[in-house]
Amino acid sequence: MSNDETAALADYFDVITGTSTGGLIAAMLTTPHPNDPSRPVLSPEEIKQFYLDFGPSIFNETRYFIFMLDQHKLIT
């Protein structure tokens, strides 16, 4: 495991995929940044904030969505 704080998942994997919400996360982690195509357009923290901001309206199951975020320690 690297201690490189600038490392992205794309530095370790050639393919990232998922279904449903996993597909959204995979797309966000692999979409190239316009200023540096070797970096993702969104950081994990930005993806987390996206889900906190838009998740309930995307998935329309607010209680379950918040429960899952809590279970995965994505909210504090």
Side-chain angles (χ1 to χ4, degrees):
M1 189 63 100
S2 171
N3 289 328
D4 182 0
E5 292 185 14
T6 64
L9 259 132
D11 295 329
Y12 300 100
F13 297 95
D14 292 327
V15 175
I16 301 172
T17 187
T19 60
S20 185
T21 191
L24 293 173
I25 293 170
M28 292 180 203
L29 288 171
T30 57
T31 299
H33 193 284
N35 297 330
D36 182 357
S38 69
R39 312 309 308 156
V41 72
L42 295 174
S43 71
E45 277 300 316
E46 292 169 319
I47 294 170
K48 173 184 164 183
Q49 193 59 54
F50 172 86
Y51 270 86
L52 291 172
D53 293 342
F54 300 105
S57 64
I58 292 171
F59 299 105
N60 201 19
E61 295 180 23
T62 304
R63 278 185 277 147
Y64 177 74
F65 177 75
I66 297 298
F67 169 78
M68 290 306 295
L69 285 176
D70 184 50
Q71 291 299 305
H72 294 285
K73 307 295 185 235
L74 295 176
I75 58 175
T76 56

